[in-house]
Amino acid sequence: MDFRDIKEFIKDTFSYLIVILIVILIVVYVVTLQQVVGSSMNPTYNESDILVLSKIHYKLFEINRNDVVSLKYDNSKYLIKRVIGLPGEHVYFKDNILYINNEPYENNFETADFNLNELGYDVIPDNMYLVLGDNRYNSLDSREIGLISKEDIIGKVLFRIWPLG
């Protein structure tokens, strides 16, 4: 074997290792895939849909109302939910109308009456969020598990990649 062949092999191997390292860093810190489990986000997302998640988005931008986010729950589960209430807001639902700070806000999903006071809060504390599933009558969300801290939000759902269409 020629020394030039060994040098070329090492060079090629190093290039592949760099590409693999970059892909791993992107998956760990920038974007990842997540599968929807359950029906709590119907009709927006369905069971077994595969979503692309931006892990870096909320390091650069604020969390906004109606963002669909992935969050850690119970240290072993990951949930997909929609952000409804932001820090400093008083949120409640009455007769299928969402009220934020006593002003009606457009809401496209049926929701049973709910008041933030039921969770023991008058307003949402700093770095906490009220999140709900789109299928409000069949969703494990803030109404049951409480407000979600910013640190428990993994990232923003960017789009669905499976099924196609």
Side-chain angles (χ1 to χ4, degrees):
M1 188 176 241
D2 188 350
F3 180 70
R4 288 179 293 189
D5 290 339
I6 294 172
K7 186 177 175 184
E8 189 68 28
F9 173 77
I10 291 172
K11 181 180 170 190
D12 288 346
T13 302
F14 184 73
S15 297
Y16 288 125
L17 287 174
I18 293 296
V19 168
I20 290 170
L21 180 63
I22 289 171
V23 168
I24 290 170
L25 288 173
I26 287 172
V27 168
V28 170
Y29 295 107
V30 182
V31 296
T32 192
L33 301 177
Q34 186 166 340
Q35 185 174 21
V36 176
V37 177
S39 62
S40 72
M41 284 303 290
N42 286 351
T44 309
Y45 299 113
N46 298 304
E47 172 100 29
S48 299
D49 285 0
I50 298 178
L51 310 174
V52 174
L53 193 70
S54 170
K55 291 180 165 184
I56 198 168
H57 187 86
Y58 295 128
K59 296 191 185 339
L60 304 172
F61 304 103
E62 294 294 316
I63 297 171
N64 295 306
R65 185 178 343 282
N66 289 318
D67 283 357
V68 177
V69 299
S70 173
L71 55 105
K72 284 187 281 188
Y73 168 65
D74 201 24
N75 289 328
S76 63
K77 296 181 183 175
Y78 297 95
L79 305 176
I80 304 288
K81 302 297 171 195
R82 185 175 303 277
V83 176
I84 301 298
L86 304 172
E89 295 179 338
H90 178 74
V91 177
Y92 64 96
F93 286 88
K94 179 78 174 150
D95 299 325
N96 249 341
I97 298 172
L98 168 62
Y99 291 90
I100 299 172
N101 297 328
N102 295 318
E103 295 291 325
Y105 189 86
E106 186 174 336
N107 172 50
N108 296 324
F109 304 99
E110 279 192 34
T111 309
D113 288 357
F114 167 79
N115 194 313
L116 189 60
N117 296 15
E118 294 172 26
L119 297 177
Y121 297 98
D122 187 42
V123 297
I124 298 173
D126 289 345
N127 294 315
M128 300 291 283
Y129 298 87
L130 177 78
V131 297
L132 301 177
D134 290 351
N135 183 3
R136 306 274 163 86
Y137 290 105
N138 186 21
S139 177
L140 176 66
D141 52 35
S142 286
R143 295 170 296 173
E144 292 181 44
I145 64 175
L147 299 177
I148 303 301
S149 71
K150 185 174 184 175
E151 61 194 33
D152 286 335
I153 294 177
I154 299 165
K156 180 179 181 175
V157 173
L158 298 178
F159 52 87
R160 180 183 66 199
I161 61 169
W162 187 261
L164 299 175

